[in-house]
Amino acid sequence: VIDGVPRFGTNTTEGEMRLSDLNPDDIESISVLKDAAAAAVYGARAANGVILVQTKRATGNQKVSVNYRGQFNLQQATNLPEFLNAYEFAKLYNRALENSPSAVGMIRTHSNPNVYGDENLIDYLDKFGYSMIHSLSVSGGNNFVKYYMSGGYTNTKGLYSGVGRDRYNYSM
């Protein structure tokens, strides 16, 4: 439940905001209701409990306040495993099964690479990954008008080559 509105969607095709779509800098408080308290208010859909999220709001007679948060994270794999090549793996696999020697020949001759590939998948990993997070919010107001607006941008590039994500979010 975000700001008193139940959110049951698992995707945004129905126009509902998921909890994962919410900018963490916009969260003021989180509460958890479970057992009878959740069922009394939200019925059978709350059988496993309810997470209540309250987002930030402007307060009365507040000067204009501008907040910015920028963050840069760097990631690196600490320990990568060493793998056998396909032929050595097949020999050990056949020794364990003791009755399927035909696969070893296909692996040795690379005659079926889609099933018995001989690539080191660690080569597809980059040495470093990173993420950049930027968040900007503006709030203020007086006795008649109160406002809180925020926007965020996240760019992530993981260790796996060619995999990344850009995420934009805003709140008014």
Side-chain angles (χ1 to χ4, degrees), residues 21-110:
D21 295 334
L22 191 61
N23 186 352
D25 292 330
D26 291 341
I27 296 175
E28 185 173 326
S29 66
I30 297 177
S31 304
V32 177
L33 295 178
K34 57 183 183 171
D35 301 330
V41 178
Y42 297 101
R45 292 186 288 186
N48 293 325
V50 175
I51 298 173
L52 301 173
V53 178
Q54 183 67 41
T55 59
K56 292 180 181 176
R57 302 269 183 232
T59 58
N61 291 329
Q62 178 184 350
K63 292 182 180 180
V64 175
S65 174
V66 178
N67 295 313
Y68 170 78
R69 182 176 72 92
Q71 183 175 335
F72 182 80
N73 302 316
L74 190 63
Q75 52 183 265
Q76 178 182 12
T78 56
N79 186 14
L80 297 174
E82 294 181 21
F83 294 103
L84 298 173
N85 64 29
Y87 179 70
E88 291 172 354
F89 174 79
K91 284 192 332 187
L92 292 176
Y93 182 77
N94 282 339
R95 188 179 302 168
L97 292 179
E98 294 186 83
N99 55 352
S100 178
S102 63
V104 175
M106 285 194 295
I107 292 171
R108 188 180 320 132
T109 61
H110 299 286

